[in-house]
Amino acid sequence: MKPRHKRFAMITTGVAALGIAAVLVLNAFEKNLVFFFTPSQVAANEAPQGRTFRIGGLVEPGSVKRQPDGVTVQFVVTDTAQTIPVLYRGALPDLFREGKGVVTQGRLGPDGMFHASEVLAKHDENYMPPEAAEALKQAHAKGAQAAQTLVTNPPTGK
């Protein structure tokens, strides 16, 4: 083979190897990519079906129920507009409390129950994931707007 052909073969082999490596990296990245959704987005069917994702919000006060097995916990996550029931089997973080921020990772079941594989609690009073904080702010704004509409336009009862 001429040197020119050898060089062309090496360049072609290098480009093919880079292409294969890029495909493998992107495929692994896509499988491990986990999106964040609020309970309102999940209720609006914006969350992926059959894929792992995260939901975040506040643990609704009075909703934490421990099962007799001592390991399974059921609670409700809310963004003050919508709620999602969560079922988790495992040890909860020490900072997990009713009325506090939480992010759970798992899958939504066909029954509407979110089956969590991981539960993360906020680590201090000032921290909340930016997506969860924005979702809570929007939910509060919508709730305030709805309340204002009821005050200015009360139902007539006809």
Side-chain angles (χ1 to χ4, degrees):
M1 262 187 2
K2 294 181 181 178
R4 188 169 101 179
H5 292 138
K6 285 182 184 178
R7 200 173 332 132
F8 181 72
M10 287 176 30
I11 290 172
T12 303
T13 303
V15 168
L18 282 173
I20 291 171
V23 165
L24 291 174
V25 167
L26 291 174
N27 189 26
F29 180 70
E30 192 234 334
K31 285 183 180 177
N32 291 320
L33 191 62
V34 179
F35 290 103
F36 176 88
F37 294 92
T38 64
S40 294
Q41 290 173 315
V42 174
N45 293 325
E46 294 177 21
Q49 299 297 322
R51 288 204 55 193
T52 299
F53 62 94
R54 290 182 177 174
I55 60 170
L58 301 174
V59 177
E60 194 169 88
S63 70
V64 178
K65 293 177 180 60
R66 298 184 187 278
Q67 302 296 324
D69 64 6
V71 181
T72 306
V73 180
Q74 187 172 348
F75 57 94
V76 175
V77 175
T78 183
D79 61 0
T80 68
Q82 294 288 332
T83 60
I84 298 291
V86 177
L87 184 66
Y88 176 67
R89 184 172 170 83
L92 289 169
D94 291 338
L95 296 174
F96 180 87
R97 302 273 186 279
E98 293 180 353
K100 299 293 183 179
V102 68
V103 175
T104 63
Q105 180 173 318
R107 293 175 184 247
L108 190 63
D111 58 352
M113 176 76 71
F114 188 80
H115 298 273
S117 58
E118 185 177 12
V119 174
L120 306 168
K122 66 181 188 175
H123 66 278
D124 72 12
E125 291 301 313
N126 300 320
Y127 175 74
M128 182 175 285
E131 296 93 347
E134 182 62 28
L136 287 173
K137 190 187 309 179
Q138 288 177 358
H140 281 298
K142 285 181 184 175
Q145 183 180 15
Q148 181 64 27
T149 302
L150 284 175
V151 168
T152 56
N153 301 323
T156 58
K158 291 181 182 180

